[in-house]
Amino acid sequence: MAPPQAPAAHRPTADVLTVIALGGAVGALARYGLALALPHGAGAFPWATWVTNVVGCLLVGVLMGAIDVAGRPHRLLRPFLGVGLLGGFTTFSTYTVEVHELLDAGALTTAFAYLAGTVLAALAAVAAGLALTRWATRPRRQTS
């Protein structure tokens, strides 16, 4: 039996796939650079991944707020920035592997601090990015 196909209106076009791939490459390179800049040893807190995910979530909030304000942005903006760039930059899969590695190294306190701290900081970052963007783009009153 063949897998179900998405309706034609929901199939990505070549230009959408291209901008997702380009954004993903840029995001992944930025994440790699951050990992090189902030290395960690076995049992140590993985700051590079934590910073990557929290900053990425902050930028997701900013992006969603900016798109909300912009109304109808270019149709390739969200796939490039959201799915591609920020999808390639953030790395919650690495986060789960690092939690497992911390547990294997016997760093239970660090593992649980990283596990909970990442989720809480990431959620707060999305909310902060959205709030900051809404605040920065709010209509200003004219003073006479």
Side-chain angles (χ1 to χ4, degrees):
M1 174 184 264
Q5 290 190 335
H10 297 291
R11 284 192 207 128
T13 57
D15 58 345
V16 171
L17 294 174
T18 300
V19 299
I20 289 171
L22 291 172
V26 172
L29 287 170
R31 179 184 61 204
Y32 179 69
L34 194 53
L36 290 177
L38 298 171
H40 71 281
F45 194 91
W47 285 107
T49 305
W50 188 87
V51 168
T52 297
N53 287 332
V54 173
V55 168
C57 286
L58 175 76
L59 294 174
V60 165
V62 169
L63 176 64
M64 292 302 106
I67 286 174
D68 188 37
V69 169
R72 267 188 90 86
H74 191 280
R75 68 182 192 82
L76 297 178
L77 183 68
R78 193 180 314 211
F80 175 74
L81 293 176
V83 179
L85 184 78
L86 295 175
F89 182 65
T90 57
T91 179
F92 285 89
S93 57
T94 299
Y95 154 74
T96 59
V97 169
E98 288 171 341
V99 168
H100 189 267
E101 289 172 349
L102 288 166
L103 291 171
D104 283 349
L108 299 178
T109 303
T110 303
F112 287 111
Y114 182 48
L115 181 69
T118 297
V119 171
L120 294 173
L123 290 172
V126 171
L130 186 57
L132 179 65
T133 303
R134 287 181 176 160
W135 175 83
T137 59
R138 75 191 185 290
R140 306 281 198 269
R141 287 190 220 184
Q142 297 292 329
T143 57
S144 342

